[in-house]
Amino acid sequence: MAAEEPLLRVEHVTRSFPRPRAEGGGLLHACDDVTFDLGREGAEIVSLVGESGSGKTTLARLILGLDRVDGGHIRYRGRSLATLGARDWLAHRREVQAVFQDPYGIYNPFYQVDRVLEQPLRRFRLASGRADERRRMEEALGAVDLRPADVLGRFPHQLSGGERQRIMLARLYLIRPRLIVADEPVSMIDAALRTMFLNILLDLRQEGMSCLFITHNLQTAFYLGGRCLVLYRGRLVEAGQVDDILSHPAHPYTRMLMDSVPSADPGQRWKDEIPARAVESGQAPLPTACAFVDRCPAAMAICRAERPRLRQTHTGQHAACFLYDPAHTGLGDANRTPQACPDTLVGG
Ligand SMILES: Nc1ncnc2c1ncn2[C@@H]1O[C@H](COP(=O)(O)OP(=O)(O)OP(=O)(O)O)[C@@H](O)[C@H]1O
Ligand SMILES: [Mg+2]
């Protein structure tokens, strides 16, 4: 990997699905020209937030290689996934690991949960023998506060959702991937376990593992810190340091996500959960307009005529909104020095 290559680069990625005729037919752009980097300067956690249907899981599946892009590229360590051969995919599957909301689906109900830990050890040849396998499994379970005697030898249905999720974390300890793609991993577990889960991710980052963390819960993104990407109807509408976005949400959509009631506790200024709303029930956004225009209190004529690109705001993050383009607002405010977002970097 060239020194300047980020671990992951999502480059103008588009993925569309046919829309049912009852909804007007045509194509639904689940991901629409999405560009961002992750891990340019060492391991990092980037949160991806957006309401239901905004394209988060679609993006996760593309990065994991479970689906293919229609346009653009996903580059992992500098190489487009479209060019990987069978051996490269084995390495990719080891280095890029998924954690899903409820991992029940990846457990085979007929096998003891041990298999979830044994399989990667064998597939990726990580242990030197049976005894080493057992030692590694016990060590990994200990790292996530599980007693081997409580979980090994059991079947998936005999464990709680939190225990199943912790075993997935233990699996990460065993595999030590470079990139974790976590899709709503804490939305079904209780608050104490949620904190533990997030702390483990922060520890893993210290050990050199990066993470794309998908969440509806903006407080979770705040807890993790680092960079945050806001996705709306398949498009990135805001990107930057989560602290900057928290204190000065730039895009009207991001502002809408914030609690309107001011609070002394900055962590409490986020709405707890983004409402799950069927945003696709209306007309598909025009390719030549802002996707938020119909809901935007600040919409201008230009917002219906042109698609806004990510531009840097005066508070440091990037927002895809003409409010940050003096050519359209006519503000010419010296404090606003928007620049087109460099193609190579969003945030960072
Ligand atoms: N295989 C598919 N076929 C048709 N439409 C799809 C397919 N996968 C996703 N979609 C549509 O793409 C859009 C984005 O879906 P996606 O699952 O990525 O959203 P999400 O942000 O993960 O939502 P949630 O927060 O509810 O998990 C949705 O409108 C969804 O119905
Ligand atoms: Mg999803």
Side-chain angles (χ1 to χ4, degrees):
M1 181 169 62
E4 67 279 7
E5 282 291 351
L7 185 65
L8 175 74
R9 176 158 173 69
V10 172
E11 200 172 274
H12 300 294
V13 162
T14 298
R15 178 71 172 106
S16 307
F17 300 106
R19 271 162 65 100
R21 257 199 216 155
E23 289 176 23
L27 285 178
L28 181 150
H29 301 293
C31 286
D32 188 354
D33 198 10
V34 174
T35 295
F36 67 91
D37 284 350
L38 187 153
R40 182 173 281 277
E41 288 163 20
E44 67 168 338
I45 299 179
V46 173
S47 298
L48 177 65
V49 303
E51 62 194 29
S52 186
S54 56
K56 305 180 298 297
T57 297
T58 302
L59 198 51
R61 289 175 50 80
L62 293 170
I63 294 167
L64 290 163
L66 302 174
D67 191 11
R68 283 178 170 253
V69 299
D70 293 330
H73 290 278
I74 293 193
R75 295 189 198 282
Y76 175 71
R77 302 178 72 197
R79 280 190 65 187
S80 166
L81 298 191
T83 66
L84 299 190
R87 285 173 77 97
D88 304 315
W89 273 115
L90 184 65
H92 186 269
R93 299 223 187 283
R94 175 181 170 188
E95 292 186 14
V96 184
Q97 286 289 318
V99 184
F100 292 111
Q101 187 174 45
D102 181 6
Y104 197 71
I106 87 149
Y107 289 94
N108 184 325
F110 301 109
Y111 288 100
Q112 294 164 344
V113 296
D114 314 27
R115 197 172 136 99
V116 165
L117 302 176
E118 278 164 6
Q119 264 189 334
L121 286 174
R122 292 179 190 170
R123 185 170 181 211
F124 304 127
R125 300 176 200 278
L126 302 175
S128 57
R130 280 284 192 179
D132 187 36
E133 212 172 69
R134 182 82 190 181
R135 186 188 58 74
R136 284 172 186 260
M137 280 163 57
E138 291 184 355
E139 204 175 276
L141 289 169
V144 297
D145 252 359
L146 283 174
R147 292 194 324 154
D150 290 344
V151 290
L152 293 180
R154 291 187 170 232
F155 288 92
H157 70 271
Q158 295 175 310
L159 301 181
S160 69
E163 284 170 330
R164 285 196 292 268
Q165 199 59 301
R166 271 192 280 172
I167 290 178
M168 294 312 294
L169 281 177
R171 196 167 174 273
L172 297 179
Y173 268 103
L174 285 179
I175 303 175
R176 310 194 81 76
R178 281 178 180 246
L179 175 61
I180 299 161
V181 179
D183 190 355
E184 308 261 10
V186 293
S187 54
M188 286 172 68
I189 54 182
D190 66 39
L193 260 183
R194 186 180 294 198
T195 306
M196 177 188 169
F197 192 107
L198 300 178
N199 287 340
I200 288 177
L201 281 185
L202 290 166
D203 286 349
L204 293 177
R205 193 207 42 208
Q206 295 295 339
E207 296 184 28
M209 289 173 242
S210 291
C211 179
L212 180 67
F213 190 91
I214 293 174
T215 181
H216 277 112
N217 185 314
L218 296 164
Q219 283 184 347
T220 304
F222 181 62
Y223 188 88
L224 288 169
R227 276 194 303 141
C228 177
L229 309 169
V230 182
L231 199 62
Y232 179 70
R233 301 184 92 172
R235 301 183 187 178
L236 271 191
V237 296
E238 185 153 352
Q241 294 297 322
V242 70
D243 295 354
D244 292 337
I245 296 179
L246 175 75
S247 45
H248 313 283
H251 197 282
Y253 172 65
T254 319
R255 280 187 230 158
M256 198 192 78
L257 299 179
M258 306 278 292
D259 200 335
S260 52
V261 181
S263 157
D265 177 0
Q268 295 301 316
R269 289 191 54 208
W270 294 102
K271 274 185 182 168
D272 198 35
E273 299 279 337
I274 299 174
R277 195 176 4 232
V279 290
E280 280 75 21
S281 58
Q283 291 271 309
L286 290 172
T288 53
C290 173
F292 191 58
V293 66
D294 290 330
R295 289 163 77 184
C296 182
M300 301 175 281
I302 183 71
C303 310
R304 293 190 188 278
E306 221 177 281
R307 176 173 169 170
R309 300 288 159 187
L310 283 164
R311 286 176 169 272
Q312 193 165 30
T313 72
H314 61 295
T315 46
Q317 69 265 44
H318 291 82
C321 179
F322 289 113
L323 285 176
Y324 301 94
D325 187 344
H328 297 293
T329 58
L331 291 176
D333 184 338
N335 291 324
R336 293 178 177 238
T337 51
Q339 301 155 4
C341 180
D343 210 31
T344 52
L345 184 71
V346 172

